[in-house]
Amino acid sequence: MSRTREFARLPGFRDFPPEEMALRNHLFDAWRRVSRRYGFLEYDGPPLEELELYTQKSGDEIVGQLYTFTDKGGREVSLRPEMTPSLARILGERSRAMPKPIRWFSIPQLFRYERQQRGRLREHFQWNVDLVGADGVEADAEVLAVALDGLRELGLGVDDIRARVSDRRLLAALLTSVGVPEGSLLATYAVVDKVEREPRERIAERLTEEVGLAQATVGGILDLFDEPGLEPVARAFAQDPEVTRRVAEMREFMATLEDLGLADFVEFDLTIVRGLAYYTGIVFEVFDAQGEFRAICGGGRYDDLLELVGGEPLSAVGFGMGDVVLADLLAERDLAPAYRRAVDHFIVVIGDEQASLARRVARALRDAGRSVVYGVRGQSVRKQFSAAANEGAREVIILGPDEVAREVAMLRDMESGEEREVPLDGLLNPSPAVRGEARSAESGGNRSQAAGES
Amino acid sequence: MSRTREFARLPGFRDFPPEEMALRNHLFDAWRRVSRRYGFLEYDGPPLEELELYTQKSGDEIVGQLYTFTDKGGREVSLRPEMTPSLARILGERSRAMPKPIRWFSIPQLFRYERQQRGRLREHFQWNVDLVGADGVEADAEVLAVALDGLRELGLGVDDIRARVSDRRLLAALLTSVGVPEGSLLATYAVVDKVEREPRERIAERLTEEVGLAQATVGGILDLFDEPGLEPVARAFAQDPEVTRRVAEMREFMATLEDLGLADFVEFDLTIVRGLAYYTGIVFEVFDAQGEFRAICGGGRYDDLLELVGGEPLSAVGFGMGDVVLADLLAERDLAPAYRRAVDHFIVVIGDEQASLARRVARALRDAGRSVVYGVRGQSVRKQFSAAANEGAREVIILGPDEVAREVAMLRDMESGEEREVPLDGLLNPSPAVRGEARSAESGGNRSQAAGES
């Protein structure tokens, strides 16, 4: 036990001192409230899984980014980079005995490790919501509604956020229609996923060289993304029955979101492809409306995944929403609650002779559900009042020798500064707190937002 | 994406499907409520730290059990086996600017990896509570009170749990008094830590051979543990001023717990040593009163640790309480809440023509804070009622063509079976939920326990 150097946290990891933890709890509380309003049940899995659970089913994009290592038992393992494979594994063991659909949510911490990415976080928390065993586009709409309501619960409205939606099957029908062979579809997705971030010449080059598509097909693909809205696509491919079928489903999806009061938040956008290989239908991402930040949320339908990792064949749709971009957006919109400490009572003693009484009062008030702090032994009265202010005490209870001799205590309301005497007996035998819950030591203002934006 | 084998979770890790997650949340909610009642603020750190943060300051016991590996950047890292080193590191960066004392708590997931330990868990969750920058035994008593009230909050009373308390300095004074040289104290602690689990002959042998103590000293040590209560020790060493001073402090500690209403939960026990090397004063463990389980909670004073990992010299006292033994004890005492699902409303549609209206009703009720589930498209009415029962719906809202034509819906109370008609308009424009909080989809009965056991 010799004294040595100072330590720092690992690069890419965050500490959560109380002010950061209060913000994290603010997000988690909102996510939990909204999940429950939609009837979703919370679950969790281990932060560490067998490596193959991830390499098995994901596209190439994820594999190089895994936080992977060999454990002491020689197993190849990985810190979880996403929750869906764990969900699939857990349901694989038990879904056959469960009524469908299954509505589950979780808030895991996820991990990535890319080398040579200075300043990039290697962990984040992600709200995961999955609806398993329901086929129709109503299920897709219900899941997107959970995501949007989670953001509305945090105060974000239709001026702040926008969901962009597409459909892998519609995109497949369109690509097939302009000449992409079925075997080249996944490779084509990977290239057109970048269509908004790379110049058209680069996209054309990659479609030609990497995917090996003919000149005419490449031209047809680029034309698709010139007008990526639903109506232009529907008009241009009105003769294609598969495209027409998928367009009708997309309209039904939009009508469902209209019923749910969220249509103004949603727009069709063919450029939304999603990186992961396992999506099979509608896909969506949520962005800030000004387009200043990276995506806040991404999700979609993945009907084959559960069977792939050994479960029963079950359709599924879900999303993940990270805490990092969302916290940045809330801060920019002035929607992150101000951090302030708060306890119900701080007990000040004038002399150490009142210390025992202070503890008995503290005990009685805590048993009644209140939050109570008292001063450290030997602290001056001035220091005790300074500590009370620092703790955010609503009320200070002052125990002085004269008052105690008369079996009373002085209460000072810390906001108004008003003082009044109360019988000690009432403090030692308080009525239970009305709300049954102590004033939080880290409450942060408006936790529940009005919900009339849409 | 070829189909392959089934996956299992890694050995020693747990999944938390909703019924297990509800119990975990039941513990966490109680721990958070009690922490806040005592004015403690929640924080968190990363689940992964530099290996040396742990090898630096812990006794040998911990080192062989670390879940350690080399990351892709060549760093020696470890999944956190305990929270205190992270706390010390975080405070080391910022405590100088903070008013003292500092009251912080956390509920981290912790990890151990011992080879050849079949069936033993490699992770658990642990409630960590630390009071930093307060010296007196009142601070030690306050921290033990948090632990005991956390257990009372879960329904455990004085017949269920017992805290056993000792003091490293008292033990040091006693050992010195019977002839243990100062340089052999830590090694002696490690042996007498096992005094209740190993036969006396084995203890004597280890003290002689491993620690190298003289015959008379070994005899003196064993005599100490024949009557490990406070009064026998005080009587036998009444001439030793250091022992007398530490006995007086222990009595003050007990008197403080008396004020806090918890004296009946606490007993002095010299055999409580605690494995970790960094404790410097009072140490304690909480057990079930019948002694059937391993310790539920352990903690104590560690006044040198923060300076050791690079912070300012700050006294500190804290504890950790794990979720595993506690959950076993709650189950055995029938105090684990029964799991039951619960939503406020399930909407049943007689035909698909009411599906759009069902979604509009769901949206309105959810915006008012209620939890609402509706059936999947095409489900028969019978299946929808079965789904409503499965979700634990309090009330079913039935939308049939005749009722909707009359602008009403039928409500069925699922407990009483009573039905009544209400205007659709009221459902589409509900008053906000009185409590502002949806009925939890995983509430589990009595969340707040009466607190009059002691």
Side-chain angles (χ1 to χ4, degrees):
Chain A
M1 293 224 344
S2 62
R3 173 201 253 278
T4 58
R5 61 190 189 80
E6 289 186 27
F7 289 89
R9 61 180 177 274
L10 291 170
F13 284 84
R14 291 173 293 172
D15 290 326
F16 291 89
E19 62 275 19
E20 301 294 333
M21 193 69 193
L23 179 63
R24 180 174 129 186
N25 278 336
H26 175 69
L27 298 184
F28 288 15
D29 288 350
W31 289 344
R32 287 198 168 99
R33 279 197 302 277
V34 170
S35 300
R36 288 166 184 166
R37 256 179 237 157
Y38 280 78
F40 284 73
L41 304 174
E42 189 170 0
Y43 74 99
D44 196 9
L48 206 63
E49 295 267 14
E50 213 180 323
L51 174 61
E52 203 182 334
L53 182 65
Y54 304 112
T55 56
Q56 156 76 6
K57 57 88 224 161
S58 286
D60 284 345
E61 188 174 340
I62 207 175
V63 178
Q65 306 173 2
L66 292 176
Y67 210 125
T68 180
F69 60 93
T70 307
D71 77 10
K72 286 184 182 175
R75 288 177 207 85
E76 294 295 321
V77 299
S78 176
L79 289 167
R80 60 185 170 198
E82 51 164 336
M83 197 62 183
T84 313
S86 296
L87 171 69
R89 179 183 60 67
I90 295 168
L91 287 180
E93 289 176 16
R94 52 170 48 222
S95 70
R96 283 177 177 82
M98 294 166 67
K100 314 291 179 313
I102 296 161
R103 293 177 183 84
W104 278 15
F105 80 97
S106 189
I107 310 180
Q109 191 172 18
L110 304 179
F111 305 87
R112 299 269 172 124
Y113 194 118
E114 300 152 89
R115 293 194 67 163
Q116 294 150 329
Q117 291 264 12
R118 292 200 167 270
R120 182 147 174 194
L121 282 181
R122 291 189 167 141
E123 55 77 23
H124 71 140
F125 288 89
Q126 193 184 70
W127 182 29
N128 273 255
V129 172
D130 291 274
L131 180 48
V132 173
D135 290 320
V137 292
E138 298 85 354
D140 305 58
E142 180 89 351
V143 165
L144 177 54
V146 177
L148 291 170
D149 267 349
L151 295 167
R152 290 168 71 224
E153 185 80 2
L154 291 161
L156 294 164
V158 76
D159 294 334
D160 303 306
I161 50 169
R162 192 72 76 253
R164 295 156 67 190
V165 180
S166 184
D167 184 335
R168 281 269 178 106
R169 292 162 306 178
L170 172 56
L171 181 59
L174 291 167
L175 293 173
T176 303
S177 185
V178 300
V180 178
E182 199 187 336
S184 301
L185 281 174
L186 272 179
T188 305
Y189 294 161
V191 176
V192 300
D193 188 32
K194 307 277 189 285
V195 75
E196 290 221 306
R197 278 162 286 173
E198 293 182 357
R200 290 297 151 102
E201 302 73 46
R202 175 75 187 126
I203 298 291
E205 188 182 298
R206 291 186 59 195
L207 288 173
T208 310
E209 292 174 15
E210 293 173 26
V211 188
L213 298 178
Q215 197 75 25
T217 300
V218 171
I221 293 172
L222 293 182
D223 287 349
L224 283 178
F225 291 98
D226 276 346
E227 276 194 284
L230 192 60
E231 297 316 318
V233 161
R235 273 196 306 274
F237 293 81
Q239 313 309 321
D240 186 312
E242 176 67 7
V243 170
T244 302
R245 187 153 75 103
R246 298 307 172 191
V247 166
E249 278 183 354
M250 182 55 66
R251 288 187 175 130
E252 197 184 336
F253 173 82
M254 295 291 187
T256 307
L257 284 161
E258 177 87 45
D259 291 336
L260 293 170
L262 297 165
D264 292 347
F265 286 87
V266 183
E267 63 194 27
F268 178 84
D269 186 337
L270 197 60
T271 69
I272 299 298
V273 178
R274 304 283 302 141
L276 295 172
Y278 55 65
Y279 288 110
T280 57
I282 282 179
V283 286
F284 57 84
E285 295 184 355
V286 181
F287 293 86
D288 65 293
Q290 273 69 48
E292 296 167 41
F293 298 90
R294 283 177 293 131
I296 301 163
C297 166
R301 179 166 284 282
Y302 55 98
D303 284 346
D304 302 328
L305 182 62
L306 276 76
E307 192 176 6
L308 267 175
V309 301
E312 63 178 322
L314 271 179
S315 59
V317 52
F319 71 81
M321 181 185 295
D323 65 332
V324 178
V325 176
L326 178 54
D328 289 345
L329 176 60
L330 291 177
E332 200 237 26
R333 290 292 190 280
D334 211 16
L335 290 167
Y339 177 70
R340 58 160 200 269
R341 298 173 60 171
V343 295
D344 294 315
H345 312 284
F346 189 103
I347 307 176
V348 166
V349 297
I350 304 300
D352 275 348
E353 315 79 63
Q354 290 90 39
S356 169
L357 177 62
R359 288 190 289 263
R360 282 183 287 132
V361 170
R363 186 263 163 114
L365 290 170
R366 286 168 178 161
D367 273 0
R370 319 276 176 78
S371 50
V372 185
V373 176
Y374 51 87
V376 185
R377 186 174 54 163
Q379 245 176 358
S380 71
V381 172
R382 196 181 55 78
K383 280 210 167 167
Q384 290 178 68
F385 269 102
S386 152
N390 175 57
E391 298 282 347
R394 178 172 59 80
E395 188 175 76
V396 170
I397 298 169
I398 308 159
L399 300 178
D402 300 344
E403 288 81 5
V404 170
R406 290 190 291 117
E407 300 196 345
V408 297
M410 186 72 82
L411 302 194
R412 181 184 296 178
D413 183 299
M414 289 292 273
E415 195 169 340
S416 68
E418 275 172 41
E419 294 193 346
R420 66 194 167 97
E421 280 188 4
V422 294
L424 275 179
D425 190 53
L427 292 177
L428 289 166
N429 298 286
S431 56
V434 179
R435 304 289 303 263
E437 188 81 24
R439 189 170 171 180
S440 164
E442 53 223 272
S443 80
N446 55 336
R447 302 286 276 252
S448 186
Q449 297 287 339
E453 296 91 345
S454 66
Chain B
M1 297 225 340
S2 62
R3 173 200 252 280
T4 58
R5 63 191 187 79
E6 288 187 26
F7 289 90
R9 61 181 178 273
L10 290 170
F13 285 83
R14 291 173 293 173
D15 290 326
F16 291 88
E19 62 274 20
E20 302 293 334
M21 193 70 194
L23 178 62
R24 181 173 130 188
N25 279 335
H26 175 68
L27 299 184
F28 287 15
D29 288 350
W31 289 344
R32 287 198 168 99
R33 277 196 305 275
V34 170
S35 300
R36 288 168 183 165
R37 257 180 236 159
Y38 280 78
F40 284 74
L41 304 174
E42 187 170 2
Y43 74 99
D44 196 9
L48 205 64
E49 296 266 15
E50 214 179 323
L51 174 61
E52 204 182 333
L53 182 65
Y54 304 112
T55 56
Q56 157 74 6
K57 57 87 226 163
S58 284
D60 284 345
E61 189 175 338
I62 207 175
V63 178
Q65 306 173 1
L66 292 176
Y67 209 125
T68 180
F69 60 94
T70 307
D71 77 10
K72 286 185 181 175
R75 289 177 205 85
E76 295 294 321
V77 299
S78 176
L79 288 167
R80 60 186 171 197
E82 50 163 338
M83 197 60 185
T84 313
S86 297
L87 171 69
R89 179 183 61 66
I90 295 168
L91 287 180
E93 289 175 17
R94 51 167 51 220
S95 71
R96 282 177 178 82
M98 293 167 67
K100 314 292 179 314
I102 297 161
R103 293 177 183 86
W104 277 16
F105 81 96
S106 190
I107 311 178
Q109 191 172 18
L110 304 179
F111 305 87
R112 300 268 171 123
Y113 194 118
E114 299 151 273
R115 294 194 65 165
Q116 292 148 331
Q117 290 265 15
R118 293 202 167 269
R120 182 148 173 193
L121 282 182
R122 290 189 167 141
E123 54 77 23
H124 71 139
F125 287 89
Q126 193 184 69
W127 182 29
N128 273 255
V129 173
D130 290 273
L131 180 49
V132 173
D135 289 322
V137 293
E138 299 86 352
D140 305 57
E142 181 88 350
V143 165
L144 177 54
V146 178
L148 291 170
D149 267 349
L151 295 167
R152 291 168 71 225
E153 185 79 3
L154 291 162
L156 293 164
V158 76
D159 294 334
D160 303 307
I161 50 169
R162 190 73 75 250
R164 294 157 67 189
V165 180
S166 185
D167 184 335
R168 279 270 177 106
R169 292 162 306 177
L170 173 56
L171 181 59
L174 292 167
L175 293 174
T176 302
S177 185
V178 301
V180 178
E182 198 187 335
S184 300
L185 282 174
L186 273 178
T188 306
Y189 294 161
V191 176
V192 300
D193 188 33
K194 307 276 187 286
V195 75
E196 291 220 306
R197 277 162 287 171
E198 292 182 357
R200 290 296 151 105
E201 302 73 45
R202 175 75 188 127
I203 298 291
E205 187 183 296
R206 291 186 59 196
L207 289 172
T208 311
E209 291 175 13
E210 294 174 25
V211 189
L213 298 177
Q215 197 74 25
T217 301
V218 170
I221 294 172
L222 292 182
D223 286 349
L224 284 177
F225 291 98
D226 275 347
E227 276 194 285
L230 191 59
E231 298 317 318
V233 162
R235 274 196 308 274
F237 292 82
Q239 313 308 322
D240 186 312
E242 176 66 8
V243 170
T244 303
R245 188 154 74 101
R246 299 307 174 190
V247 166
E249 279 184 353
M250 182 56 67
R251 287 187 176 130
E252 197 184 334
F253 173 82
M254 295 291 187
T256 308
L257 284 162
E258 177 87 44
D259 290 337
L260 292 170
L262 296 165
D264 291 347
F265 286 86
V266 184
E267 63 193 27
F268 178 83
D269 186 337
L270 197 61
T271 67
I272 299 298
V273 179
R274 305 284 300 141
L276 295 171
Y278 56 66
Y279 288 111
T280 57
I282 284 177
V283 286
F284 58 83
E285 295 184 355
V286 181
F287 293 86
D288 65 294
Q290 272 68 49
E292 295 168 42
F293 298 90
R294 284 177 294 131
I296 301 163
C297 167
R301 180 166 283 282
Y302 54 98
D303 284 348
D304 302 329
L305 182 64
L306 275 76
E307 193 176 7
L308 268 176
V309 300
E312 62 177 324
L314 272 179
S315 60
V317 52
F319 71 81
M321 181 186 295
D323 65 331
V324 178
V325 177
L326 178 54
D328 288 346
L329 176 60
L330 291 177
E332 199 238 27
R333 291 292 190 282
D334 211 15
L335 289 167
Y339 176 70
R340 59 160 200 269
R341 299 174 60 173
V343 293
D344 293 315
H345 311 283
F346 190 103
I347 307 176
V348 166
V349 297
I350 304 300
D352 276 346
E353 316 79 64
Q354 291 91 39
S356 169
L357 176 62
R359 289 189 289 263
R360 283 183 287 131
V361 169
R363 185 265 162 114
L365 291 170
R366 286 167 178 162
D367 273 359
R370 320 276 176 77
S371 51
V372 185
V373 176
Y374 51 87
V376 186
R377 185 173 54 162
Q379 246 177 353
S380 71
V381 172
R382 196 182 56 77
K383 281 211 165 165
Q384 290 178 69
F385 270 100
S386 152
N390 175 54
E391 299 283 346
R394 177 173 61 79
E395 187 175 77
V396 170
I397 298 169
I398 307 157
L399 301 177
D402 300 344
E403 287 81 5
V404 170
R406 289 189 291 118
E407 300 194 348
V408 296
M410 187 72 84
L411 302 193
R412 180 185 297 178
D413 183 299
M414 289 293 273
E415 196 167 339
S416 69
E418 273 172 42
E419 294 193 346
R420 66 194 167 96
E421 279 188 4
V422 295
L424 274 179
D425 190 52
L427 292 177
L428 289 166
N429 299 285
S431 56
V434 179
R435 303 288 303 265
E437 188 81 24
R439 188 170 172 179
S440 164
E442 53 225 272
S443 81
N446 55 336
R447 301 287 275 252
S448 185
Q449 296 286 340
E453 298 90 346
S454 67

